[in-house]
Amino acid sequence: AQSVTQLDSQVPVFEEAPVELRCNYSSSVSVYLFWYVQYPNQGLQLLLKYLSGSTLVESINGFEAEFNKSQTSFHLRKPSVHISDTAEYFCAVSTYTGNQFYFGTGTSLTVIP
Amino acid sequence: KAGVTQTPRYLIKTRGQQVTLSCSPISGHRSVSWYQQTPGQGLQFLFEYFSETQRNKGNFPGRFSGRQFSNSRSEMNVSTLELGDSALYLCASRAYWGAVDSPLHFGNGTRLTVT
């Protein structure tokens, strides 16, 4: 079975500082990778996705993630965070095996003014 | 295009009662999944429906059931509610079962409180 590990459950960071949210997955087959963001009392919103091609993917709000096949990682980064980035972030993997999505346990990002 | 719509947004029920939650997927999406989200357990997969048939199922007791209608709308039902069923229930849709290269699109959830 596939599994997704988000190594940090909580990440506090000061405003305008850089941040990295870590995600590792276990799979012996081809995977598709996603990052979602969840604001309080809302559902999950797609932040970015890796399907194929360039290993570095970017979102419209300054986040980026890099697919590293050898390390089975898909870490999320932002060079300078804003207060509005405070939210829960979920990493997800999908594969044709089992034909479903697997989510990490989430990382709570808190941006400190 | 309208997003995934879940109703109601909030529910308060008493232990032992049953509850039905509703989900309308994005227009054109035919696969609907349900998740339970709690602070302690995170996101837990309940089941996925496509073409009115359950395609995948998570590890939940039989008190949790679902169905999908011909217009792709889905409902989930929880019978004999327990305090531990208090959670945010999220519905997500995708174009079709097997579209693993397409992201799931989530609704805003139904917050169920069992007292």
Side-chain angles (χ1 to χ4, degrees), chain A residues 36 38 41 43 94-95 99 101, chain B residues 9 37 94 98 100 102 104 107:
Chain A
Y36 286 85
Q38 184 180 32
N41 294 318
S94 68
T95 75
N99 203 357
F101 285 73
Chain B
R9 284 281 276 140
Q37 186 178 26
R94 54 176 169 162
V100 292
S102 295
L104 292 173

Side-chain angles (χ1 to χ4, degrees), chain B residues 15-114:
Chain B
R15 194 169 41 180
Q17 287 185 314
Q18 75 165 15
V19 67
T20 299
L21 313 182
S22 180
C23 172
S24 293
I26 288 174
S27 177
H29 282 193
R30 296 168 55 203
S31 182
V32 174
S33 300
W34 288 90
Y35 290 82
Q36 181 194 67
Q37 186 178 26
T38 58
Q41 300 294 322
L43 269 172
Q44 304 239 287
F45 173 71
L46 280 154
F47 29 65
E48 180 172 12
Y49 284 86
F50 173 70
S51 291
E52 302 175 64
T53 302
Q54 187 180 91
R55 304 291 177 153
N56 282 325
K57 187 178 187 305
N59 190 26
F60 276 82
R63 298 186 298 107
F64 292 82
S65 63
R67 60 176 175 169
Q68 187 180 36
F69 302 95
S70 58
N71 61 358
S72 296
R73 192 177 68 85
S74 176
E75 290 182 346
M76 70 162 279
N77 184 277
V78 187
S79 62
T80 320
L81 283 166
E82 301 177 359
L83 295 178
D85 297 333
S86 293
L88 180 66
Y89 290 88
L90 293 165
C91 168
S93 73
R94 54 176 169 162
Y96 57 92
W97 185 67
V100 292
D101 57 345
S102 295
L104 292 173
H105 297 264
F106 285 83
N108 282 329
T110 293
R111 172 77 61 187
L112 172 65
T113 303
V114 182

